[in-house]
Amino acid sequence: MADETQVDVVVVGGGAAGLSAALTLVRARRSVVVIDALEPRNGPAAGVHGWLTRDGMPPTALVAAGAREVEQYGGRIVYTRAESARRTPNGFVVDTDRGSFRGRRLLVASGLVDELPTITGVRERWGRDVVHCPYCHGWEIRDRPIGVLGSVHHALLFRQWSTQVTLLRHSSPPPSTEQSEQLAARGIAVVDGVVSALEIVDDRLAGARLDSGRLVPIAALAIAPRLVTRDTLLLGLGVETAEHASGIHVAADIGGRTSVPGVWVAGNVADIAAGVVQAAASGVTAGAAINADLIEEDTRQAVDRWRAGGFSADAERATSQRVPAARRHGLDSLLPMPPS
Ligand SMILES: Cc1cc2nc3c(=O)[nH]c(=O)nc-3n(C[C@H](O)[C@H](O)[C@H](O)COP(=O)(O)OP(=O)(O)OC[C@H]3O[C@@H](n4cnc5c(N)ncnc54)[C@H](O)[C@@H]3O)c2cc1C
Protein backbone atom coordinates (compact mmCIF):
# COMPACT_ATOMS: atom_id res chain seq x y z
CA MET A 1 0.00 0.00 0.00
CA ALA A 2 1.25 3.51 -0.88
CA ASP A 3 2.63 5.60 2.01
CA GLU A 4 0.10 8.42 2.26
CA THR A 5 2.44 10.59 4.30
CA GLN A 6 5.04 10.64 1.48
CA VAL A 7 3.82 12.73 -1.44
CA ASP A 8 5.15 14.78 -4.29
CA VAL A 9 3.98 18.07 -2.78
CA VAL A 10 2.93 19.12 0.69
CA VAL A 11 0.77 22.25 0.59
CA VAL A 12 0.39 24.25 3.79
CA GLY A 13 -2.77 26.35 3.62
CA GLY A 14 -6.05 25.36 2.00
CA GLY A 15 -7.44 28.75 0.99
CA ALA A 16 -7.97 29.90 -2.58
CA ALA A 17 -4.23 29.81 -3.31
CA GLY A 18 -3.32 26.46 -1.75
CA LEU A 19 -6.36 24.63 -3.10
CA SER A 20 -5.87 26.03 -6.61
CA ALA A 21 -2.26 24.86 -6.55
CA ALA A 22 -3.35 21.47 -5.23
CA LEU A 23 -5.99 21.11 -7.96
CA THR A 24 -3.41 21.93 -10.63
CA LEU A 25 -0.99 19.40 -9.16
CA VAL A 26 -3.43 16.51 -8.68
CA ARG A 27 -4.64 17.01 -12.25
CA ALA A 28 -0.97 16.76 -13.25
CA ARG A 29 -0.98 13.34 -11.54
CA ARG A 30 1.07 14.51 -8.57
CA SER A 31 0.32 13.19 -5.10
CA VAL A 32 -0.60 16.06 -2.80
CA VAL A 33 -1.43 16.59 0.86
CA VAL A 34 -2.97 19.92 1.85
CA ILE A 35 -2.65 20.82 5.53
CA ASP A 36 -5.15 23.48 6.48
CA ALA A 37 -6.09 25.17 9.74
CA LEU A 38 -9.42 26.25 8.21
CA GLU A 39 -9.07 29.97 8.95
CA PRO A 40 -9.33 31.72 5.58
CA ARG A 41 -8.56 35.42 5.93
CA ASN A 42 -11.97 36.47 4.64
CA GLY A 43 -13.76 34.06 7.01
CA PRO A 44 -15.51 36.87 8.95
CA ALA A 45 -17.17 38.18 5.75
CA ALA A 46 -20.60 37.00 4.62
CA GLY A 47 -19.60 36.58 0.99
CA VAL A 48 -16.72 36.61 -1.48
CA HIS A 49 -17.12 39.43 -3.97
CA GLY A 50 -15.45 40.00 -7.30
CA TRP A 51 -15.13 36.28 -8.15
CA LEU A 52 -16.87 35.92 -11.46
CA THR A 53 -19.72 33.34 -11.31
CA ARG A 54 -19.29 32.99 -7.50
CA ASP A 55 -20.06 36.55 -6.40
CA GLY A 56 -21.45 36.53 -2.85
CA MET A 57 -20.61 32.89 -2.10
CA PRO A 58 -19.74 32.41 1.61
CA PRO A 59 -15.93 32.06 2.01
CA THR A 60 -16.26 28.78 3.91
CA ALA A 61 -18.49 27.34 1.15
CA LEU A 62 -15.92 28.35 -1.45
CA VAL A 63 -13.04 26.51 0.24
CA ALA A 64 -15.25 23.50 1.02
CA ALA A 65 -16.16 23.23 -2.68
CA GLY A 66 -12.49 23.64 -3.62
CA ALA A 67 -11.44 20.92 -1.18
CA ARG A 68 -14.00 18.52 -2.68
CA GLU A 69 -12.60 19.16 -6.15
CA VAL A 70 -9.05 18.41 -4.97
CA GLU A 71 -10.21 15.22 -3.22
CA GLN A 72 -12.04 14.03 -6.35
CA TYR A 73 -8.66 13.64 -8.03
CA GLY A 74 -7.09 11.82 -5.12
CA GLY A 75 -5.67 14.81 -3.22
CA ARG A 76 -5.78 14.58 0.56
CA ILE A 77 -6.78 17.41 2.89
CA VAL A 78 -5.74 17.22 6.53
CA TYR A 79 -7.47 19.78 8.70
CA THR A 80 -4.93 20.80 11.29
CA ARG A 81 -2.08 23.26 11.77
CA ALA A 82 1.40 22.73 10.38
CA GLU A 83 3.65 23.29 13.39
CA SER A 84 7.05 23.20 11.74
CA ALA A 85 8.82 22.32 8.52
CA ARG A 86 12.35 21.11 7.91
CA ARG A 87 14.51 20.03 5.06
CA THR A 88 15.49 16.37 4.49
CA PRO A 89 17.84 14.86 1.90
CA ASN A 90 14.86 14.23 -0.43
CA GLY A 91 12.64 17.20 0.30
CA PHE A 92 10.78 18.41 3.35
CA VAL A 93 8.96 17.16 6.42
CA VAL A 94 6.01 19.07 7.81
CA ASP A 95 5.00 18.24 11.39
CA THR A 96 1.44 18.41 12.68
CA ASP A 97 -0.47 16.97 15.62
CA ARG A 98 -1.87 14.46 13.11
CA GLY A 99 1.49 13.17 12.06
CA SER A 100 4.34 14.24 9.82
CA PHE A 101 4.04 14.63 6.06
CA ARG A 102 6.94 14.35 3.67
CA GLY A 103 7.02 15.98 0.27
CA ARG A 104 9.55 16.36 -2.50
CA ARG A 105 8.42 19.98 -2.70
CA LEU A 106 6.76 22.32 -0.22
CA LEU A 107 4.22 24.98 -1.13
CA VAL A 108 3.30 27.43 1.60
CA ALA A 109 0.03 29.26 0.97
CA SER A 110 -0.66 30.25 4.55
CA GLY A 111 -2.01 33.74 3.82
CA LEU A 112 -1.65 36.72 6.10
CA VAL A 113 -2.99 38.26 9.26
CA ASP A 114 -4.72 41.63 9.30
CA GLU A 115 -3.37 43.46 12.36
CA LEU A 116 -6.39 45.46 13.43
CA PRO A 117 -6.23 48.74 15.35
CA THR A 118 -6.89 48.27 19.05
CA ILE A 119 -10.16 50.16 19.15
CA THR A 120 -12.97 48.59 21.18
CA GLY A 121 -15.44 46.91 18.84
CA VAL A 122 -13.24 46.75 15.74
CA ARG A 123 -12.41 43.04 16.05
CA GLU A 124 -16.05 42.08 16.67
CA ARG A 125 -17.29 44.01 13.60
CA TRP A 126 -14.37 43.07 11.30
CA GLY A 127 -15.55 41.89 7.89
CA ARG A 128 -19.07 43.06 8.62
CA ASP A 129 -19.30 46.84 8.98
CA VAL A 130 -15.60 47.36 9.68
CA VAL A 131 -13.95 46.80 6.33
CA HIS A 132 -10.71 47.47 4.47
CA CYS A 133 -11.29 46.83 0.77
CA PRO A 134 -13.81 48.82 -1.27
CA TYR A 135 -13.80 46.20 -4.02
CA CYS A 136 -14.78 43.53 -1.47
CA HIS A 137 -17.34 45.52 0.54
CA GLY A 138 -17.88 48.92 -1.11
CA TRP A 139 -21.09 47.93 -2.87
CA GLU A 140 -22.57 46.56 0.37
CA ILE A 141 -22.01 49.86 2.20
CA ARG A 142 -22.81 52.17 -0.71
CA ASP A 143 -24.64 55.43 0.03
CA ARG A 144 -24.19 54.94 3.80
CA PRO A 145 -22.27 57.20 6.18
CA ILE A 146 -18.74 55.80 6.07
CA GLY A 147 -15.99 56.71 8.51
CA VAL A 148 -12.46 56.28 7.25
CA LEU A 149 -9.76 55.82 9.88
CA GLY A 150 -6.74 58.02 9.36
CA SER A 151 -6.11 57.69 5.62
CA VAL A 152 -6.75 60.51 3.13
CA HIS A 153 -6.14 58.09 0.26
CA HIS A 154 -8.73 55.65 1.62
CA ALA A 155 -11.21 58.49 2.20
CA LEU A 156 -10.92 59.64 -1.42
CA LEU A 157 -11.27 56.00 -2.54
CA PHE A 158 -14.43 55.25 -0.52
CA ARG A 159 -15.96 58.52 -1.79
CA GLN A 160 -16.63 56.54 -4.99
CA TRP A 161 -19.19 54.46 -3.07
CA SER A 162 -20.83 57.12 -0.90
CA THR A 163 -21.21 60.88 -0.73
CA GLN A 164 -21.25 60.63 3.08
CA VAL A 165 -17.60 60.01 3.91
CA THR A 166 -15.90 61.32 7.04
CA LEU A 167 -12.16 61.16 7.60
CA LEU A 168 -11.61 60.31 11.27
CA ARG A 169 -8.07 61.55 11.82
CA HIS A 170 -7.51 59.33 14.85
CA SER A 171 -3.72 59.31 15.29
CA SER A 172 -2.73 60.39 11.76
CA PRO A 173 -1.11 63.76 11.00
CA PRO A 174 -3.30 66.64 9.76
CA PRO A 175 -3.90 66.56 5.98
CA SER A 176 -1.55 68.72 3.89
CA THR A 177 -2.89 71.86 2.20
CA GLU A 178 -3.28 69.95 -1.05
CA GLN A 179 -5.08 67.05 0.68
CA SER A 180 -7.37 69.43 2.57
CA GLU A 181 -8.36 70.97 -0.75
CA GLN A 182 -9.04 67.52 -2.26
CA LEU A 183 -11.12 66.45 0.74
CA ALA A 184 -13.13 69.69 0.70
CA ALA A 185 -13.68 69.47 -3.06
CA ARG A 186 -15.04 65.92 -2.66
CA GLY A 187 -17.27 66.89 0.28
CA ILE A 188 -15.37 64.74 2.81
CA ALA A 189 -15.60 65.99 6.38
CA VAL A 190 -12.50 65.77 8.59
CA VAL A 191 -12.94 65.01 12.30
CA ASP A 192 -10.03 65.49 14.73
CA GLY A 193 -9.63 63.29 17.81
CA VAL A 194 -8.74 59.72 18.67
CA VAL A 195 -11.44 57.04 18.17
CA SER A 196 -11.73 55.03 21.37
CA ALA A 197 -14.67 52.71 20.66
CA LEU A 198 -17.37 51.73 18.21
CA GLU A 199 -21.00 52.09 19.20
CA ILE A 200 -23.12 49.11 18.24
CA VAL A 201 -26.93 49.25 18.24
CA ASP A 202 -29.07 46.22 17.32
CA ASP A 203 -26.02 44.39 15.97
CA ARG A 204 -25.16 47.29 13.64
CA LEU A 205 -22.45 49.90 13.73
CA ALA A 206 -24.02 53.19 14.80
CA GLY A 207 -21.03 55.45 15.40
CA ALA A 208 -17.44 56.08 16.37
CA ARG A 209 -16.90 57.35 19.92
CA LEU A 210 -13.99 59.76 20.29
CA ASP A 211 -11.79 60.21 23.35
CA SER A 212 -13.56 63.54 23.92
CA GLY A 213 -16.86 61.67 24.28
CA ARG A 214 -18.22 62.95 20.97
CA LEU A 215 -20.11 60.37 18.86
CA VAL A 216 -19.63 60.54 15.09
CA PRO A 217 -22.56 58.68 13.46
CA ILE A 218 -21.34 56.17 10.87
CA ALA A 219 -22.76 52.92 9.48
CA ALA A 220 -19.41 51.53 8.32
CA LEU A 221 -15.78 52.07 9.22
CA ALA A 222 -12.96 51.63 6.71
CA ILE A 223 -9.57 50.82 8.16
CA ALA A 224 -6.16 49.96 6.71
CA PRO A 225 -4.77 47.10 8.82
CA ARG A 226 -1.10 46.29 8.81
CA LEU A 227 -0.73 43.13 6.75
CA VAL A 228 1.61 40.52 8.19
CA THR A 229 2.28 37.30 6.33
CA ARG A 230 1.94 34.00 8.16
CA ASP A 231 5.55 33.15 7.48
CA THR A 232 6.76 31.28 10.58
CA LEU A 233 7.36 28.03 8.66
CA LEU A 234 9.11 29.89 5.86
CA LEU A 235 11.40 31.84 8.17
CA GLY A 236 12.33 28.56 9.87
CA LEU A 237 13.45 27.26 6.47
CA GLY A 238 15.50 30.40 5.79
CA VAL A 239 13.19 31.96 3.17
CA GLU A 240 13.74 35.69 2.64
CA THR A 241 11.01 38.23 3.33
CA ALA A 242 10.68 41.79 2.09
CA GLU A 243 9.13 44.98 3.47
CA HIS A 244 6.08 46.32 1.64
CA ALA A 245 4.51 49.75 2.18
CA SER A 246 1.72 48.24 4.29
CA GLY A 247 3.35 45.10 5.66
CA ILE A 248 5.75 42.25 5.08
CA HIS A 249 5.64 39.70 2.30
CA VAL A 250 7.72 36.72 1.23
CA ALA A 251 10.10 37.32 -1.64
CA ALA A 252 9.43 35.00 -4.60
CA ASP A 253 9.59 35.00 -8.38
CA ILE A 254 6.50 35.22 -10.57
CA GLY A 255 5.95 31.46 -10.32
CA GLY A 256 6.19 31.46 -6.52
CA ARG A 257 9.74 30.08 -6.25
CA THR A 258 11.37 31.37 -3.05
CA SER A 259 15.02 31.90 -2.18
CA VAL A 260 15.14 28.32 -0.77
CA PRO A 261 15.19 25.59 -3.45
CA GLY A 262 12.10 23.40 -3.30
CA VAL A 263 10.02 25.88 -1.30
CA TRP A 264 7.25 27.75 -3.10
CA VAL A 265 4.63 30.28 -2.08
CA ALA A 266 1.28 31.44 -3.45
CA GLY A 267 -1.50 33.81 -2.48
CA ASN A 268 -1.35 36.48 0.20
CA VAL A 269 1.82 35.13 1.78
CA ALA A 270 3.62 36.19 -1.42
CA ASP A 271 1.41 39.08 -2.51
CA ILE A 272 -0.31 40.97 0.27
CA ALA A 273 -2.48 42.87 -2.22
CA ALA A 274 -3.99 39.75 -3.82
CA GLY A 275 -7.76 39.24 -3.69
CA VAL A 276 -9.28 35.78 -3.95
CA VAL A 277 -9.05 35.57 -7.73
CA GLN A 278 -5.41 36.69 -7.78
CA ALA A 279 -4.59 34.27 -4.94
CA ALA A 280 -6.21 31.42 -6.86
CA ALA A 281 -4.39 32.41 -10.04
CA SER A 282 -1.03 32.48 -8.26
CA GLY A 283 -1.81 29.01 -6.87
CA VAL A 284 -2.40 27.69 -10.39
CA THR A 285 0.85 29.29 -11.56
CA ALA A 286 2.83 27.89 -8.63
CA GLY A 287 1.27 24.44 -9.10
CA ALA A 288 2.34 24.36 -12.75
CA ALA A 289 5.81 25.67 -11.87
CA ILE A 290 6.28 22.99 -9.19
CA ASN A 291 5.17 20.31 -11.63
CA ALA A 292 7.70 21.60 -14.17
CA ASP A 293 10.40 21.51 -11.48
CA LEU A 294 9.49 17.90 -10.61
CA ILE A 295 9.49 16.93 -14.29
CA GLU A 296 13.05 18.29 -14.55
CA GLU A 297 14.08 16.17 -11.57
CA ASP A 298 12.25 13.08 -12.86
CA THR A 299 13.94 13.49 -16.23
CA ARG A 300 17.37 13.98 -14.68
CA GLN A 301 16.95 10.83 -12.63
CA ALA A 302 15.66 8.87 -15.65
CA VAL A 303 18.65 9.96 -17.70
CA ASP A 304 21.02 8.90 -14.89
CA ARG A 305 19.37 5.47 -14.82
CA TRP A 306 19.45 5.29 -18.60
CA ARG A 307 23.15 6.13 -18.69
CA ALA A 308 23.83 3.56 -16.01
CA GLY A 309 22.22 1.04 -18.33
CA GLY A 310 19.39 0.41 -15.93
CA PHE A 311 16.58 1.05 -18.40
CA SER A 312 14.32 -1.80 -19.38
CA ALA A 313 10.62 -2.15 -19.99
CA ASP A 314 10.45 -4.37 -16.90
CA ALA A 315 12.15 -1.74 -14.72
CA GLU A 316 9.78 0.97 -15.97
CA ARG A 317 6.79 -1.30 -15.37
CA ALA A 318 8.01 -2.00 -11.83
CA THR A 319 8.38 1.74 -11.19
CA SER A 320 4.89 2.29 -12.53
CA GLN A 321 3.50 -0.34 -10.14
CA ARG A 322 4.87 1.60 -7.18
CA VAL A 323 2.85 4.65 -8.20
CA PRO A 324 -0.73 4.81 -6.88
CA ALA A 325 -3.12 3.45 -9.52
CA ALA A 326 -4.80 6.70 -10.47
CA ARG A 327 -1.46 8.31 -11.30
CA ARG A 328 0.08 5.53 -13.41
CA HIS A 329 0.96 6.98 -16.75
CA GLY A 330 -1.36 5.69 -19.41
CA LEU A 331 -2.81 2.96 -17.23
CA ASP A 332 -5.69 4.75 -15.56
CA SER A 333 -9.02 5.86 -16.96
CA LEU A 334 -9.51 9.57 -17.51
CA LEU A 335 -12.27 9.68 -14.92
CA PRO A 336 -11.50 11.46 -11.62
CA MET A 337 -10.90 9.31 -8.56
CA PRO A 338 -13.86 8.88 -6.22
CA PRO A 339 -13.47 10.85 -2.97
CA SER A 340 -11.15 8.99 -0.58
C1 LIG B 1 -12.79 40.61 5.87
C2 LIG B 1 -12.21 40.30 4.52
C3 LIG B 1 -13.02 40.21 3.41
C4 LIG B 1 -12.48 39.96 2.17
N1 LIG B 1 -13.31 39.90 1.09
C5 LIG B 1 -12.80 39.65 -0.13
C6 LIG B 1 -13.65 39.65 -1.28
O1 LIG B 1 -14.87 39.85 -1.18
N2 LIG B 1 -13.09 39.41 -2.49
C7 LIG B 1 -11.74 39.20 -2.62
O2 LIG B 1 -11.28 38.97 -3.75
N3 LIG B 1 -10.92 39.19 -1.56
C8 LIG B 1 -11.41 39.41 -0.33
N4 LIG B 1 -10.59 39.43 0.77
C9 LIG B 1 -9.18 39.04 0.58
C10 LIG B 1 -9.09 37.48 0.66
O3 LIG B 1 -9.39 37.08 1.96
C11 LIG B 1 -7.70 37.02 0.25
O4 LIG B 1 -7.40 37.49 -1.03
C12 LIG B 1 -7.63 35.48 0.19
O5 LIG B 1 -8.13 34.91 1.38
C13 LIG B 1 -6.19 35.04 -0.03
O6 LIG B 1 -6.18 33.64 -0.20
P1 LIG B 1 -4.96 32.78 0.37
O7 LIG B 1 -5.25 31.38 -0.07
O8 LIG B 1 -3.67 33.39 0.03
O9 LIG B 1 -5.10 32.89 1.97
P2 LIG B 1 -6.26 32.43 2.95
O10 LIG B 1 -7.58 32.46 2.27
O11 LIG B 1 -6.12 33.24 4.18
O12 LIG B 1 -5.92 30.91 3.25
C14 LIG B 1 -4.79 30.56 4.01
C15 LIG B 1 -5.12 29.26 4.73
O13 LIG B 1 -3.90 28.78 5.31
C16 LIG B 1 -4.19 28.29 6.59
N5 LIG B 1 -2.97 28.30 7.39
C17 LIG B 1 -2.20 29.33 7.78
N6 LIG B 1 -1.15 28.91 8.49
C18 LIG B 1 -1.27 27.56 8.56
C19 LIG B 1 -0.52 26.53 9.18
N7 LIG B 1 0.61 26.79 9.87
N8 LIG B 1 -0.95 25.26 9.06
C20 LIG B 1 -2.08 24.96 8.37
N9 LIG B 1 -2.83 25.89 7.77
C21 LIG B 1 -2.43 27.17 7.86
C22 LIG B 1 -5.27 29.23 7.14
O14 LIG B 1 -5.98 28.62 8.18
C23 LIG B 1 -6.11 29.44 5.87
O15 LIG B 1 -7.13 28.47 5.78
C24 LIG B 1 -11.09 39.75 2.02
C25 LIG B 1 -10.26 39.84 3.14
C26 LIG B 1 -10.80 40.14 4.38
C27 LIG B 1 -9.91 40.26 5.56
Side-chain angles (χ1 to χ4, degrees):
M1 195 175 128
D3 176 2
E4 289 192 336
T5 63
Q6 169 67 62
V7 289
D8 289 321
V9 186
V10 175
V11 177
V12 175
L19 289 173
S20 298
L23 186 61
T24 304
L25 285 160
V26 288
R27 283 179 49 78
R29 315 172 102 181
R30 296 296 180 184
S31 52
V32 176
V33 166
V34 179
I35 301 166
D36 184 40
L38 260 183
E39 288 168 0
R41 181 182 166 210
N42 53 352
V48 175
H49 293 286
W51 176 294
L52 199 64
T53 78
R54 297 289 179 274
D55 190 64
M57 188 173 190
T60 45
L62 185 76
V63 289
R68 279 196 300 276
E69 288 175 4
V70 170
E71 286 172 331
Q72 266 179 10
Y73 291 93
R76 184 174 170 208
I77 321 273
V78 179
Y79 289 110
T80 189
R81 182 166 297 281
E83 305 292 352
S84 62
R86 67 201 132 85
R87 184 178 271 292
T88 65
N90 301 321
F92 302 89
V93 177
V94 177
D95 299 311
T96 78
D97 63 359
R98 294 186 53 191
S100 296
F101 299 90
R102 286 168 289 136
R104 295 167 65 193
R105 300 290 182 273
L106 173 64
L107 171 69
V108 177
S110 47
L112 62 76
V113 174
D114 297 86
E115 277 188 359
L116 305 178
T118 53
I119 296 171
T120 306
V122 162
R123 184 161 298 283
E124 292 75 6
R125 307 305 299 178
W126 175 234
R128 301 172 68 193
D129 32 32
V130 175
V131 303
H132 72 305
C133 158
Y135 303 100
C136 309
H137 308 277
W139 178 264
E140 283 63 42
I141 59 172
R142 69 193 182 282
D143 296 331
R144 303 196 15 225
I146 302 173
V148 175
L149 196 73
S151 164
V152 173
H153 168 74
H154 237 169
L156 293 169
L157 186 61
F158 274 91
R159 175 63 179 75
Q160 172 65 19
W161 282 266
S162 174
T163 54
Q164 306 172 66
V165 174
T166 301
L167 173 63
L168 301 162
R169 264 194 52 213
H170 193 53
S171 50
S172 65
S176 66
T177 309
E178 187 190 2
Q179 288 173 328
S180 296
E181 197 177 33
Q182 291 170 339
L183 293 165
R186 295 295 275 150
I188 298 170
V190 180
V191 169
D192 293 336
V194 171
V195 178
S196 57
L198 301 184
E199 293 280 318
I200 312 301
V201 177
D202 294 336
D203 198 28
R204 281 169 179 256
L205 179 57
R209 180 75 65 187
L210 304 185
D211 262 359
S212 62
R214 178 181 166 193
L215 183 70
V216 182
I218 50 170
L221 178 68
I223 63 172
R226 184 172 156 74
L227 310 175
V228 180
T229 48
R230 288 194 184 113
D231 54 14
T232 316
L233 293 186
L234 292 163
L235 294 178
L237 288 161
V239 170
E240 286 167 18
T241 57
E243 276 285 343
H244 183 282
S246 49
I248 296 169
H249 74 137
V250 172
D253 75 4
I254 198 165
R257 187 192 294 261
T258 70
S259 56
V260 173
V263 181
W264 306 70
V265 286
N268 272 163
V269 78
D271 175 7
I272 58 179
V276 175
V277 172
Q278 294 95 327
S282 73
V284 173
T285 304
I290 293 170
N291 186 47
D293 193 43
L294 287 168
I295 286 171
E296 267 183 42
E297 184 176 282
D298 293 342
T299 307
R300 241 183 351 258
Q301 289 172 353
V303 168
D304 287 347
R305 283 196 302 274
W306 177 278
R307 284 185 183 153
F311 175 80
S312 71
D314 284 346
E316 283 298 295
R317 196 174 305 114
T319 303
S320 162
Q321 295 299 327
R322 288 200 298 274
V323 176
R327 299 190 190 90
R328 262 177 231 155
H329 301 273
L331 297 181
D332 57 323
S333 85
L334 292 176
L335 291 174
M337 287 277 282
S340 54

